[in-house]
Amino acid sequence: MLEIKNLHVKLEEEDKQILKGVTLSIGAGEVHAIMGPNGSGKSTLSYVLSGRDGYTVTDGSATLDGADLLEMDPELRAAQGLFLAFQYPVEIPGVGNMTFLRTALNAQRKTRGEPEISAGDFLKLVREKAKNLKIDAEMLKRPVNVGFSGGEKKRNEILQMAMLEPKMCILDETDSGLDVDAMKLVSEGVNALRSAGRSFLVITHYQRLLDHIKPDVVHIMAAGRIIKTGGPELALEVENNGYADLLAEVK
Amino acid sequence: MGAVSVKAEALMQRLAGLARPSELAAPREAAMARLAGMGLPSKRDEYWQYTDPAALNATVALPAALAVDDDAALFGALDAVRLVFVDGVFDAAASDDLALAGVTISRLANAPDGHWAETAYGALEALGQTPIARPWATLNTAYATDGLLIHVTGKAQKPLSITYLRRDQLTDAILHHVIKLDAGAELTLLEQGPAAARLNHVIEVDLGTSARFHHIRAQGRDMGRRAVTHIFAHLAGEALFKSFTLTADGALTRNEAVITFAGPNAKAHIAGAAMGDGAFHHDDTVFITHAAERCESRQVFKKVLKHGAVGVFQGKILVKKGAQKTDGYQISQALLLDDGSQFLAKPELEIYADDVKCSHGSTSGAIDDTALFYLRSRGVPLRAAQSLLILAFLADTIAEIEDEAIAEDIRAGLETWLARHES
Ligand SMILES: Nc1ncnc2c1ncn2[C@@H]1O[C@H](COP(=O)(O)OP(=O)(O)OP(=O)(O)O)[C@@H](O)[C@H]1O
Ligand SMILES: [Mg+2]
């Protein structure tokens, strides 16, 4: 599904290398987790994959089902099935959440040559998905993320994911800011989407989320590299001992 | 030459080709006398420091090419009394009958002696000359060739919808409407169309106690059009005045609004959305006088500027002594779509009462890159994402339109414009 090879990324504006050779392969239906110290480049990886400005790829490649992601505009990557749940979801005053969802859904359909969803079907769909995430009608009417609490913003990201049904989902610290119940809700939302054709890359600092969303593979990222890859037990090790031992191993 | 003689000279030249109509002679005489003392503005006037009046002062109008791509008219689905002006002249054949329950309408161009407007015509314009002279409005009172005299005695059941068509590249029109709303009366006035290559337009609105007036105007949208417009509104107690203007394109537009609260508990909201691409200079100049207690004024002006377009906002709130509990709000913002565009703002508060709440703010900035990326990451293409953010930026102005069907029409008009100006 997602193949990242030897990815090197620097900031466009300054000579600062952030990713220093990331290699990662996620198969269809797999769930991978990335953990790693603050500032190690996890969000940068997610931004580069989804096409945010401000970064220069100096080496390496990233493909989604064989198609070169790095050549595509962000909107095309989305239409091809890539989705990023932002670590910091963006507020857009003046654009209603419903308008946003419908515009996004129809734009993707159009790009893929599919017909637009009817107003009625859209409403039904959004109500059903929102209900599962305990997002009330009032929140749907508000401008995108404006005045949402931290946890509400994260739930809104998952609502978008549920609506857009991407095949490659990247969740950047979706668990941070969630209370215990919301974490369960969100995890259930994610698990409901798990299928043979859909893969996940879950960035998190806490093992707790991985109790709910069971990963197949866990990677540890440090200073712009994947320094260790293992099974779910790796997350437990980090939870218990922190990163010191792992970092020492590489040195 | 001194400043005064420059202005007098400019006035003489401008009047050279003009003929003063005979209807409502007395108020026109009075306007002539006021005008002689004012002269015409020059760029050296403080009130015209951001907008060069030269093209308005010129003896003849510069040609403005007619728009080729004719957009569908706005407000088409609305049940309204439709009135049409062609090249600045009322076209009775193309208009509905001037019959609407609760409203009497007559034409300025054939107002008989003894018409009720004899005392109203030019009256609010005259009041609006202090503390700042507005010579174009006075010239308009003296020389307007056509317009409507509207007396609203009850609740008008339908909006009046005026369309100003333009067939000639050189039309130089001076139009003047007088609208008088009796106590408790209500009217919605819609205006649209390019009107003229050069337009001088005045509306005087006199609102009686508890009267309600809604005004929605779409100034469109020929590139070469030049216009100076004035709205003078005078509000008795409990009255409501709401005015929204959409300006799309036009080489030069100066929209002035002069609003006075004369009785307590009245409300006036004035909003403007302007979009310009290239040779576009748009000036909103507002002067609101709170001369009564507990009135609320709200100014919401937003401009979207690209390819070197220029936006100007001059907005003043004057709170007179004794106008306690005044609530005055003013915001002016520009979205600059490139580095070549420019927004000049001069917000002013002058307050002589101690128990008031007044605020003003002015900002200009580019499209929010983070929001743009967020939308694109959800699959919305770049152009569509930009349009969505531009509409979002203008949303506060459209929110000032109470009628949802009218607001929807304005939104559609904006979308058409954005689609045409994507590059
Ligand atoms: N636009 C930028 N300008 C300057 N530095 C940047 C920029 N983007 C990223 N960085 C730097 O790159 C490094 C990696 O940042 P990134 O956000 O990817 O870390 P992270 O692993 O997601 O951290 P966290 O766990 O705190 O979210 C950090 O040192 C950060 O300061
Ligand atoms: Mg991060």
Side-chain angles (χ1 to χ4, degrees), chain A residues 84-225:
Chain A
L84 168 63
F86 282 55
Q87 181 173 2
Y88 305 107
V90 179
E91 299 186 4
I92 314 184
V95 177
N97 218 4
M98 287 287 239
T99 308
F100 171 64
L101 285 168
R102 202 179 60 229
T103 307
L105 189 56
N106 280 330
Q108 292 201 11
R109 284 177 173 233
K110 198 172 159 201
T111 307
R112 293 193 294 257
E114 298 162 13
E116 290 200 349
I117 187 169
S118 75
D121 288 350
F122 170 78
L123 261 182
K124 244 172 68 188
L125 191 67
V126 77
R127 284 207 185 113
E128 177 205 316
K129 307 275 186 197
K131 198 170 151 219
N132 294 339
L133 290 160
K134 293 220 167 79
I135 291 175
D136 59 29
E138 192 266 335
M139 245 171 86
L140 288 173
K141 278 195 209 130
R142 273 196 265 163
V144 179
N145 293 326
V146 176
F148 286 30
S149 74
E152 286 170 345
K153 284 181 182 170
K154 296 302 177 77
R155 272 187 279 156
N156 201 29
E157 294 292 286
I158 300 306
L159 173 64
Q160 292 165 41
M161 188 170 86
M163 291 293 294
L164 296 170
E165 301 187 315
K167 62 184 178 194
M168 180 67 235
C169 310
I170 305 173
L171 309 183
D172 191 356
E173 293 196 29
T174 300
D175 53 337
S176 64
L178 291 181
D179 65 41
V180 183
D181 296 330
M183 168 110 72
K184 262 191 84 184
L185 266 179
V186 163
S187 305
E188 279 162 14
V190 171
N191 287 330
L193 284 169
R194 285 182 75 159
S195 75
R198 185 172 288 126
S199 312
F200 290 85
L201 180 60
V202 180
I203 299 170
T204 183
H205 286 295
Y206 306 107
Q207 146 69 23
R208 210 174 27 177
L209 178 71
L210 304 179
D211 282 341
H212 296 289
I213 307 171
K214 299 249 160 36
D216 301 301
V217 182
V218 174
H219 308 273
I220 307 299
M221 185 180 243
R225 284 192 193 90

Side-chain angles (χ1 to χ4, degrees), chain A residues 11 14 16 18 36-45 47 54-55 87-88 172-173 203 205 221:
Chain A
L11 291 177
E14 40 182 305
K16 185 172 171 185
I18 301 191
N38 293 131
S40 55
K42 303 179 299 294
S43 292
T44 302
L45 176 64
Y47 285 144
Y55 306 100
Q87 181 173 2
Y88 305 107
D172 191 356
E173 293 196 29
I203 299 170
H205 286 295
M221 185 180 243

Side-chain angles (χ1 to χ4, degrees), chain B residues 26-113:
Chain B
R28 288 183 196 265
E29 282 295 340
M32 281 310 288
R34 288 198 298 280
L35 190 56
M38 288 183 219
L40 287 184
S42 81
K43 230 188 137 178
R44 274 194 265 163
D45 283 316
E46 201 193 332
Y47 216 46
W48 289 83
Q49 62 180 324
Y50 300 128
T51 297
D52 186 350
L56 301 171
N57 291 16
T59 319
V60 291
L62 293 167
L66 301 169
V68 275
D69 35 0
D70 237 359
D71 293 347
L74 298 176
F75 321 131
L78 228 64
D79 185 16
V81 173
R82 285 173 206 288
L83 307 168
V84 178
F85 285 75
V86 179
D87 287 324
V89 180
F90 182 69
D91 183 344
S95 301
D96 292 344
D97 287 343
L98 299 182
L100 179 59
V103 185
T104 60
I105 309 170
S106 44
R107 254 184 94 175
L108 171 61
N110 53 23
D113 283 351

Side-chain angles (χ1 to χ4, degrees), chain B residues 91-294:
Chain B
D91 183 344
S95 301
D96 292 344
D97 287 343
L98 299 182
L100 179 59
V103 185
T104 60
I105 309 170
S106 44
R107 254 184 94 175
L108 171 61
N110 53 23
D113 283 351
H115 192 277
W116 63 266
E118 230 158 34
T119 51
Y121 184 78
L124 298 183
E125 174 266 299
L127 278 178
Q129 297 301 332
T130 36
I132 298 174
R134 305 168 198 282
W136 287 114
T138 312
L139 184 142
N140 182 301
T141 300
Y143 287 93
T145 49
D146 216 338
L148 299 171
L149 309 170
I150 303 168
H151 184 192
V152 191
T153 51
K155 285 185 186 173
Q157 274 137 27
K158 300 178 188 180
L160 288 182
S161 178
I162 306 179
T163 303
Y164 304 99
L165 300 175
R166 185 156 82 81
R167 302 259 155 79
D168 192 298
Q169 300 213 4
L170 286 166
T171 312
D172 194 6
I174 306 180
L175 295 173
H176 194 127
H177 304 313
V178 177
I179 303 168
K180 182 173 164 52
L181 292 103
D182 289 350
E186 289 186 30
L187 179 72
T188 296
L189 176 70
L190 310 171
E191 295 183 286
Q192 65 178 311
R198 184 167 68 177
L199 174 68
N200 181 338
H201 188 260
V202 166
I203 307 179
E204 299 179 88
V205 191
D206 188 5
L207 292 103
T209 305
S210 302
R212 302 166 77 84
F213 178 69
H214 294 271
H215 176 228
I216 296 94
R217 164 167 70 169
Q219 290 178 317
R221 57 168 182 70
D222 321 70
M223 294 306 223
R225 195 179 56 96
R226 292 173 171 83
V228 55
T229 79
H230 289 80
I231 299 176
F232 295 93
H234 191 264
L235 285 79
E238 318 273 340
L240 173 76
F241 170 89
K242 284 193 117 180
S243 176
F244 167 91
T245 299
L246 167 68
T247 309
D249 299 332
L252 172 69
T253 309
R254 163 96 160 198
N255 290 333
E256 293 199 22
V258 183
I259 299 167
T260 303
F261 291 105
N265 296 309
K267 273 187 196 179
H269 290 197
I270 178 149
M275 297 179 306
D277 183 353
F280 174 86
H281 183 108
H282 185 277
D283 176 335
D284 282 302
T285 291
V286 180
F287 197 109
I288 295 184
T289 305
H290 284 263
E293 287 185 4
R294 295 184 301 278

Side-chain angles (χ1 to χ4, degrees), chain A residues 50-52 73-75 78 83-84 86 90 92-93 95 100 104 107-108 145 157 160, chain B residues 368 370-371 373-384 388-389 391-393 395:
Chain A
S50 49
R52 188 177 190 146
D73 282 337
E75 51 268 37
F83 180 90
L84 168 63
F86 282 55
V90 179
I92 314 184
V95 177
F100 171 64
Q108 292 201 11
N145 293 326
E157 294 292 286
Q160 292 165 41
Chain B
D368 177 356
T370 314
F373 172 63
Y374 192 59
L375 286 166
R376 295 179 77 189
S377 79
R378 297 309 183 237
V380 183
L382 176 63
R383 296 291 180 208
L388 203 59
L389 293 175
L391 286 174
F393 169 76

